[in-house]
Amino acid sequence: MSYLTNEQKTINNCRFCHMCRHVCPIGKQTGKEIHHARGRALILSRLLKGEKIDGEIAQAVYECALCGGCVEQCVTGFDPTTFTRAARTEAAAENLIPEAVNKVVQNLLNSGNPFGLPQAEKNKGFADLIKDLPEKADVLLFIGCTASYKTPEIARAAINLFKKAKVKFTVLKEEKCCGLYLGDLIGAVEESRQQASLVVEQIKNTGAKTVVALCPSCTKVFKREYPEWGLELKAEVITITSYLERLLNEGRLKPKKLNCKVTFHDPCRLARDLEETEPARAIINSLGMDLKEMFFNKAKTHCCGGGLLDLYAPELTALTSKGRWEEASRNADTMLVACSSCQLVMKKTQPENMKLKNLIEIFWEQCENS
Amino acid sequence: MQTNSLMSQMILGELEDAVGREHISLSQVEKIAHSVDNFWLPRMWVDRGETPPVADWIVYPGSPEEVSAVLKIANYYKIPVTPWGGGAGSQGGAMPVRGGIIMDTKRMNKVIKFDAESYTVTAETGIIQQNLEWEANERGYSLMHYPSSIGCSTLGGFLAHRGTGVLSTKYGNMDDLCVSLEVVLPNGEIIHTLPVPKHSVGPDLKSLFTGSEGTLGVITKAEMKIFDIPESRRFQAYMFHNLTDGIRAGRKVMKRIKPSIIRLFDEPETQKLIKRVMGINKPGVYMVFGFEGDKAITDVEANIIHDICMESAYEELRPELGEQWWKQRYDFFYPPHVFDLPRMFGTMDTVSTYANIEKIYWAMKRAIEDNFPQAQFIAHFSHWFDWGCMMYDRFIVENPPQDPAEALRLHNEIWNTGVRAAIANGGTLNDHHGIGLKLSRLMREQYGPAMQVLEGLKKSLDPNNIMNPFKLGL
């Protein structure tokens, strides 16, 4: 039985419907019919009628950021990401994963992270800050692969903020990958579940009652996919932005003001999947910044392209991120991000006249000497 | 043309030279995605496991110069070219019925200039209309073109079939909203219509190309009117006993003021759609008015509409119900609300004078339901003028034949019957969806000897007949 069979209703409802095409960040840039839900559903509907998946179809279903823009747009509740994921599982089962995507899959399976980097290097950027942290604590700061390997300065900022606020916390010394990327690439199959279950065990061993995830994608998989995969984190899961807002409200962090005009790029996973938009704004407000909202903000945010897509289709994320910079430039010369993946993607196409700052890092800078 | 033949490869090389290798696709996936628009027949064809006509090359030009280069190549080799914007038209206008090149215009998607002085915006025509609208909204303006397909289709597509939107009663259709065009002719020449839409410099070129559905060239840029977001936008809704009362009320309102919306639903559509989507469960026909502008003016208009309607309406609904219709106006077009397979359906929109429009409603209804007992006919009247209004009528067949050829036959017979009833009673073949492939065979019946004017134009501009063949009866 095809993995698409369970998605028949959604496929058949989406295959002739164009009503979400205008919100796709990739389709908006490329104009291609396969870069929106209808085009993919039309192709997949033919598979439901007996056609076989092939390399071209597999390539098409991986050219999606799974950002949920189409889901948010559909007033009748259809979710095209479900059939895109199912088609990816189908492609994986038929050994049709495109080469560039498969490289990332193999990195995840063999190295435990999407970059194919050694586990031993994961904490290098902040090892000094965590070496004396206890093995067990009520609060666990979950760093995530992207911040660990690629933006350790953000991890440092978060750790320093927790120390400043005198939070009793710990950080996993050999943190495993949350499993989101593998799930997004090959589906909710045994390999993804197994990878995730390692994390569940790690977290359990810390005794943490609260898991603060630095990355919105990690938060999303903990809160949404893990229960679907039959995994249970017996802890409160909270985003870094929500936790920092909590510390602000408790008076445990008192940042100095920063007088500048900024715009904020809502990470799609945070704004749509987790329906969280205000804590980041509360932090921006606490810094005294003049926030000029983008037209496409909050749940209507335009995805930058995403860290995962950037790993195997950087030509697409170059287009999506340029589009987002154009939107940002109409509001301020400084874009704030609250996600390491967004930061990496946006940095690659950063115009000369625009600044890019991570909210967590700026927040630490303003709290450091307060 | 076989795409693995030597000549196909030679032509491919020329096309790659024109637009760049990365902007051409031969993939079957893209060809299939570009073979089905919103026309029922190719959708049914796919649903029955068949493959509609596909193009040989999918080409994405990024500029009018690239469009020009591609058309020159196509002309030389006599390759058909089908322009494709959003591919969301309901008439089969973007189907590549003779293969050849699909020219997907969506790479040309930039806003070029806002002219705040003249209240216009110039944009490339491959931009999705909603994205253009949002860029205008960011600056405090609107293009006031709100069809249900605003997120589906391109600026160029709407111009190519002279589309209309929900607010057209006040602001006009795409031809009215257009100030000037840039067009690439079939021979590759890039031309511009006059910089203003009203003049006395011969026949209006702009109006030759709006509505030409890609048969006379490719529209690549357009300057469109923009408007301030109105201070006040209000709605009032009424229930009438019957269509006659509703049409009379609408006509009277149009003699006094210019609302932005008048929408009158016949009894079956009131029962089917309004009840299902909005939960209003009342007998008779539902009518909603929208009007907008300065608050002082809309206050007066509200009273005029109220007074006229209450001469014959049996109930004025709470304004919230009109506002609810406005907020949910696109919801009707999402699945499962939108008509879709397995049903057969078609929108036979037509337009006529007030003297004829109700007569046309009953003539079409009888023609469809008497000749095709399996079909239901529903309608609403949604774009109003000083002289008449249009009727957005649909037929629905719940269980069409499974055999695709049988289904196609029944579909076309119903269409022939319905639109001929419209034409016979003073209506037109179509109001605002265009002709495409669906109604191409009936253009001669509509125009009679006047068809030679269109044919002469086509022959002169496109002697090799490469542009969107078999559409518009040309």
Side-chain angles (χ1 to χ4, degrees):
Chain A
M1 190 175 90
S2 164
Y3 289 99
L4 294 169
T5 307
N6 286 343
E7 307 306 330
Q8 186 167 1
K9 183 176 176 189
T10 307
I11 289 171
N12 284 340
N13 276 283
C14 290
R15 63 182 170 157
F16 299 133
C17 177
H18 298 79
M19 297 296 280
C20 64
R21 82 135 80 229
H22 56 299
V23 301
C24 177
I26 300 175
K28 189 180 181 206
Q29 301 301 327
T30 67
K32 289 189 170 184
E33 289 297 318
I34 55 162
H35 289 157
H36 87 93
R38 179 211 80 122
R40 278 194 289 276
L42 181 65
I43 303 305
L44 297 178
S45 73
R46 291 160 62 88
L47 301 191
L48 289 173
K49 291 192 183 299
E51 277 200 23
K52 297 288 287 171
I53 191 169
D54 61 21
E56 277 185 6
I57 296 173
Q59 180 67 39
V61 300
Y62 278 99
E63 290 182 1
C64 168
L66 298 175
C67 74
C70 48
V71 182
E72 201 277 334
Q73 175 65 26
C74 185
V75 303
T76 44
F78 287 100
D79 181 348
T81 64
T82 59
F83 60 70
T84 303
R85 289 171 194 282
R88 291 180 181 188
T89 309
E90 188 89 3
E94 298 292 328
N95 285 320
L96 287 170
I97 302 177
E99 192 182 325
V101 180
N102 200 37
K103 192 158 176 284
V104 181
V105 173
Q106 296 308 316
N107 286 343
L108 286 161
L109 291 173
N110 300 330
S111 310
N113 66 79
F115 313 109
L117 295 169
Q119 177 72 34
E121 288 185 19
K122 196 163 185 182
N123 293 343
K124 216 165 65 166
F126 47 89
D128 59 314
L129 293 179
I130 65 171
K131 64 180 169 41
D132 295 325
L133 291 178
E135 294 295 316
K136 291 183 186 294
D138 282 352
V139 176
L140 169 71
L141 177 61
F142 193 89
I143 307 290
C145 296
T146 304
S148 295
Y149 284 109
K150 298 290 182 180
T151 61
E153 69 278 9
I154 310 307
R156 295 184 74 85
I159 293 164
N160 280 325
L161 280 164
F162 277 33
K163 288 184 176 181
K164 182 83 176 180
K166 296 186 172 39
V167 176
K168 292 183 172 45
F169 74 104
T170 189
V171 170
L172 291 167
K173 306 287 195 301
E174 291 182 12
E175 187 189 270
K176 302 288 185 198
C177 179
C178 67
L180 176 84
Y181 278 9
L182 200 55
D184 279 355
L185 290 178
I186 62 175
V189 295
E190 193 50 36
E191 289 88 337
S192 307
R193 215 188 145 279
Q194 268 185 15
Q195 187 166 78
S197 63
L198 296 174
V199 172
V200 173
E201 193 62 24
Q202 279 190 317
I203 292 175
K204 184 176 141 198
N205 291 341
T206 66
K209 298 193 179 72
T210 301
V211 175
V212 183
L214 190 51
C215 169
S217 293
C218 298
T219 319
K220 185 237 179 195
V221 78
F222 291 155
K223 295 184 83 148
R224 297 263 300 267
E225 270 82 354
Y226 276 22
E228 289 170 14
W229 295 352
L231 300 170
E232 197 186 355
L233 276 178
K234 286 192 168 94
E236 176 198 21
V237 175
I238 185 171
T239 61
I240 184 70
T241 35
S242 282
Y243 195 74
L244 291 177
E245 186 196 21
R246 194 184 281 182
L247 295 176
L248 258 176
N249 291 341
E250 290 170 1
R252 294 163 74 176
L253 289 168
K254 295 185 170 71
K256 289 191 296 200
K257 303 292 184 200
L258 192 57
N259 184 18
C260 61
K261 192 158 99 170
V262 297
T263 193
F264 178 61
H265 165 68
D266 289 275
C268 60
R269 295 279 156 99
L270 190 64
R272 281 198 279 270
D273 291 311
L274 298 169
E275 296 179 331
E276 181 193 299
T277 58
E278 298 317 302
R281 285 166 172 81
I283 297 168
I284 293 169
N285 190 49
S286 76
L287 291 166
M289 290 180 179
D290 178 16
L291 172 62
K292 186 83 171 42
E293 293 275 7
M294 281 201 252
F295 190 80
F296 299 103
N297 67 347
K298 301 188 182 183
K300 301 281 185 199
T301 187
H302 280 162
C303 175
C304 63
L308 180 54
L309 188 70
D310 191 53
L311 288 172
Y312 61 84
E315 71 284 0
L316 291 181
T317 54
L319 293 173
T320 50
S321 60
K322 272 187 200 152
R324 196 56 172 156
W325 276 118
E326 268 172 36
E327 291 166 7
S329 67
R330 296 203 279 266
N331 298 282
D333 66 4
T334 300
M335 180 198 280
L336 289 181
V337 294
C339 164
S340 289
S341 292
C342 295
Q343 184 171 330
L344 287 178
V345 170
M346 296 304 295
K347 193 164 178 58
K348 285 185 179 180
T349 56
Q350 183 177 348
E352 275 180 18
N353 62 333
M354 294 290 293
K355 299 189 198 67
L356 177 66
K357 301 271 184 202
N358 189 293
L359 180 61
I360 314 305
E361 202 178 8
I362 283 199
F363 192 51
W364 166 238
E365 285 167 9
Q366 297 307 110
C367 286
E368 189 175 3
N369 296 314
S370 67
Chain B
M1 182 176 280
Q2 290 178 338
T3 48
N4 61 351
S5 73
L6 182 138
M7 272 317 295
S8 285
Q9 292 299 314
M10 293 291 288
I11 293 166
L12 175 63
E14 287 197 52
L15 292 171
E16 286 176 352
D17 193 43
V19 303
R21 191 172 171 184
E22 66 275 27
H23 300 304
I24 309 229
S25 177
L26 304 182
S27 86
Q28 188 63 9
V29 157
E30 290 215 43
K31 288 179 184 178
I32 297 291
H34 283 90
S35 68
V36 181
D37 61 4
N38 237 19
F39 181 21
W40 189 81
L41 284 182
R43 289 163 66 168
M44 179 272 293
W45 219 244
V46 162
D47 183 67
R48 303 301 197 256
E50 305 284 341
T51 302
V54 295
D56 297 289
W57 301 272
I58 313 294
V59 176
Y60 297 89
S63 67
E65 289 75 22
E66 289 185 5
V67 171
S68 170
V70 170
L71 292 184
K72 284 175 178 166
I73 294 166
N75 245 318
Y76 183 78
Y77 292 105
K78 298 186 175 42
I79 300 171
V81 178
T82 305
W84 175 289
S90 58
Q91 313 298 79
M95 289 175 66
V97 294
R98 277 186 59 207
I101 294 169
I102 279 270
M103 181 180 280
D104 191 319
T105 58
K106 293 196 291 296
R107 269 185 70 215
M108 298 184 290
N109 63 4
K110 297 284 176 285
V111 173
I112 302 193
K113 186 176 73 164
F114 276 91
D115 180 349
E117 187 86 23
S118 309
Y119 272 79
T120 67
V121 60
T122 303
E124 294 178 326
T125 53
I127 190 167
I128 298 292
Q129 187 76 21
Q130 179 67 75
N131 291 329
L132 175 58
E133 174 69 15
W134 276 331
E135 288 217 27
N137 295 163
E138 263 193 271
R139 291 160 177 80
Y141 303 118
S142 169
L143 280 85
M144 297 303 186
H145 180 64
Y146 294 165
S148 60
S149 48
I150 188 173
C152 314
S153 304
T154 60
L155 172 63
F158 287 125
L159 286 163
H161 72 83
R162 203 177 282 143
T164 199
V166 162
L167 302 178
S168 71
T169 298
K170 183 178 179 81
Y171 298 102
N173 70 8
M174 283 301 276
D175 186 51
D176 300 314
L177 292 167
C178 180
V179 174
S180 69
L181 295 175
E182 175 186 88
V183 181
V184 184
L185 297 180
N187 65 4
E189 285 240 45
I190 302 172
I191 68 161
H192 295 88
T193 63
L194 292 188
V196 293
K198 296 292 180 199
H199 55 79
S200 184
V201 193
D204 182 32
L205 283 191
K206 173 178 72 70
S207 292
L208 277 179
F209 289 103
T210 57
S212 63
E213 301 190 23
T215 60
L216 303 179
V218 181
I219 304 171
T220 46
K221 277 195 197 81
E223 187 175 3
M224 305 295 293
K225 294 181 192 175
I226 55 177
F227 303 85
D228 291 324
I229 308 288
E231 181 189 11
S232 162
R233 177 177 278 150
R234 295 172 59 169
F235 301 91
Q236 282 169 202
Y238 301 86
M239 295 301 301
F240 290 85
H241 290 293
N242 54 57
L243 273 183
T244 306
D245 289 348
I247 291 172
R248 186 184 305 125
R251 182 171 66 81
K252 281 187 176 181
V253 166
M254 287 300 294
K255 289 299 166 208
R256 300 274 303 276
I257 60 172
K258 206 161 215 188
S260 46
I261 298 167
I262 305 180
R263 198 160 273 234
L264 168 64
F265 295 82
D266 76 349
E267 210 162 328
E269 191 155 349
T270 299
Q271 289 306 307
K272 242 186 168 32
L273 285 181
I274 300 299
K275 180 181 170 183
R276 187 155 49 101
V277 180
M278 296 177 62
I280 296 172
N281 190 9
K282 293 174 187 294
V285 301
Y286 170 85
M287 189 165 191
V288 61
F289 291 84
F291 43 106
E292 58 195 68
D294 288 358
K295 188 174 179 306
I297 297 176
T298 57
D299 284 346
V300 170
E301 289 178 332
N303 290 332
I304 290 173
I305 291 171
H306 170 86
D307 291 345
I308 290 172
C309 287
M310 290 314 292
E311 287 171 10
S312 51
Y314 76 79
E315 186 177 345
E316 178 169 17
L317 300 172
R318 303 186 321 271
E320 295 80 41
L321 288 173
E323 285 151 19
Q324 185 187 349
W325 172 82
W326 173 251
K327 285 196 184 96
Q328 291 181 277
R329 67 194 184 283
Y330 297 151
D331 293 7
F332 297 90
F333 297 91
Y334 284 82
H337 302 315
V338 73
F339 289 118
D340 198 358
L341 290 148
R343 286 174 169 149
M344 179 192 293
F345 53 91
T347 302
M348 299 180 155
D349 49 306
T350 187
V351 57
S352 188
T353 59
Y354 287 119
N356 288 327
I357 195 67
E358 194 179 347
K359 185 172 51 148
I360 290 170
Y361 170 83
W362 292 109
M364 289 181 78
K365 185 175 173 66
R366 273 194 293 271
I368 299 296
E369 291 181 348
D370 289 353
N371 289 290
F372 305 96
Q374 70 273 54
Q376 194 196 4
F377 181 89
I378 64 175
H380 61 262
F381 301 79
S382 50
H383 304 281
W384 296 61
F385 309 94
D386 297 328
W387 41 263
C389 66
M390 68 82 61
M391 180 171 72
Y392 192 106
D393 52 281
R394 280 184 273 200
F395 73 88
I396 304 145
V397 175
E398 292 292 339
N399 297 300
Q402 268 301 114
D403 177 72
E406 283 299 314
L408 187 151
R409 179 179 290 113
L410 175 64
H411 174 272
N412 287 352
E413 282 176 354
I414 293 175
W415 269 96
N416 288 348
T417 304
V419 299
R420 282 174 176 153
I423 294 173
N425 286 280
T428 61
L429 201 44
N430 196 264
D431 174 74
H432 63 260
H433 288 94
I435 300 298
L437 175 68
K438 182 197 277 181
L439 299 171
S440 189
R441 64 187 179 279
L442 296 163
M443 279 286 280
R444 227 162 284 276
E445 287 182 42
Q446 170 80 86
Y447 274 106
M451 191 69 194
Q452 64 189 299
V453 176
L454 297 177
E455 286 166 343
L457 191 61
K458 171 73 169 173
K459 204 165 172 182
S460 168
L461 291 179
D462 186 18
N464 290 322
N465 199 16
I466 62 165
M467 295 305 304
N468 214 1
F470 303 153
K471 313 289 173 56
L472 267 192
L474 296 171

